[in-house]
Amino acid sequence: MTDTEGGRGGVGSRRRGRPPRAESADTRDRILDAAREEFAERGYDKTSVRGIAKAAGVDSALVHHYFGTKEQVFEAAVEVALVPALAVRDAVLEVPLDDVGERLTRFLFGLWENPVTRRPLLAIVRSAVNNEAAATVFRRLVSAQLLRRIAGEIDAPDAELRAELAAAQLVGVAMMRYVIKIEPIASADPEQIIARVAPVVQGHLTGP
């Protein structure tokens, strides 16, 4: 059975087709919540539109109606989940450029340490690592909304490379700590990690 076939196999009495207008916002939010959970738990490849629909308690046709393909569902879920992370672009640029490394590192690790924001970040990272379509969506959003903004503040010809290297440092440590969970990084005090990583991030941004 394909994702578009919908209603069989456990959907039961859930309604088909488009919900009344008053239910639309709630239905859309439930689908996005379910999508984030599914992508976090299963990754992009093992998540299906049918599985998202089942978790949200709706028919698969509604998922397609609101978002289209699985890639489009992923992009919508990622964009919503990245809102707190993308707020870093304004938070870090409130300080002098020489302090951006510490501010950026502290802000992003704060998101990872918070269970509420960690779950959607796990969905994004696990999916992007295993699937090129998911990685493309992730790169597009992060590059357009975060890295280019930071690079714009760096007075150097290789500003974009510097911003990307700083991001790679942060993503790499986050992968080791929160996704792969390699010790002793996984259980180290967050302040210890921030103290060691922030100068490296700063070096990428403004070093020689």
Side-chain angles (χ1 to χ4, degrees):
M1 179 170 59
T2 64
D3 285 330
T4 55
E5 286 174 330
R8 302 168 211 155
V11 175
S13 61
R14 287 193 293 271
R15 70 178 68 210
R16 294 175 176 273
R18 182 180 303 181
R21 184 180 300 273
E23 298 180 14
S24 295
D26 177 66
T27 301
R28 192 177 189 280
D29 288 344
R30 282 193 290 121
I31 292 171
L32 284 178
D33 288 342
R36 282 190 290 274
E37 288 295 319
E38 290 291 301
F39 286 123
E41 185 69 27
R42 305 174 185 278
Y44 186 90
D45 286 337
K46 294 183 179 179
T47 296
S48 66
V49 170
R50 183 173 58 189
I52 293 170
K54 183 177 180 181
V58 300
D59 188 83
S60 299
L62 277 180
V63 180
H64 290 295
H65 165 71
Y66 284 115
F67 301 104
T69 65
K70 184 172 80 169
E71 182 177 336
Q72 290 170 313
V73 178
F74 178 77
E75 182 164 5
V78 166
E79 192 164 19
V80 171
L82 278 178
V83 168
L86 293 175
V88 72
R89 65 187 180 184
D90 298 317
V92 301
L93 295 177
E94 292 174 353
V95 300
L97 188 58
D98 287 342
D99 298 326
V100 165
E102 196 275 340
R103 176 69 71 90
L104 179 61
T105 303
R106 183 170 298 280
F107 188 97
L108 290 179
F109 275 96
L111 294 177
W112 278 105
E113 288 295 315
N114 184 339
V116 175
T117 46
R118 183 190 308 149
R119 187 72 173 171
L121 287 173
L122 284 172
I124 295 165
V125 172
R126 284 174 176 162
S127 297
V129 165
N130 294 321
N131 183 273
E132 180 57 30
T136 299
V137 171
F138 181 55
R139 283 195 300 266
R140 181 168 64 246
L141 289 172
V142 171
S143 177
Q145 300 190 45
L146 178 59
L147 295 181
R148 288 179 188 169
R149 179 74 179 276
I150 294 174
E153 300 297 315
I154 301 173
D155 185 17
D158 56 351
E160 287 192 14
L161 176 61
R162 288 172 175 267
E164 288 178 0
L165 286 170
Q169 184 75 40
L170 292 167
V171 171
V173 175
M175 284 281 294
M176 298 279 282
R177 178 176 173 84
Y178 303 102
V179 181
I180 305 175
K181 298 182 179 180
I182 293 179
E183 295 292 352
I185 293 178
S187 58
D189 186 284
E191 288 297 323
Q192 182 182 10
I193 293 178
I194 291 169
R196 291 183 176 274
V197 172
V200 181
V201 172
Q202 187 68 47
H204 285 311
L205 294 174
T206 59

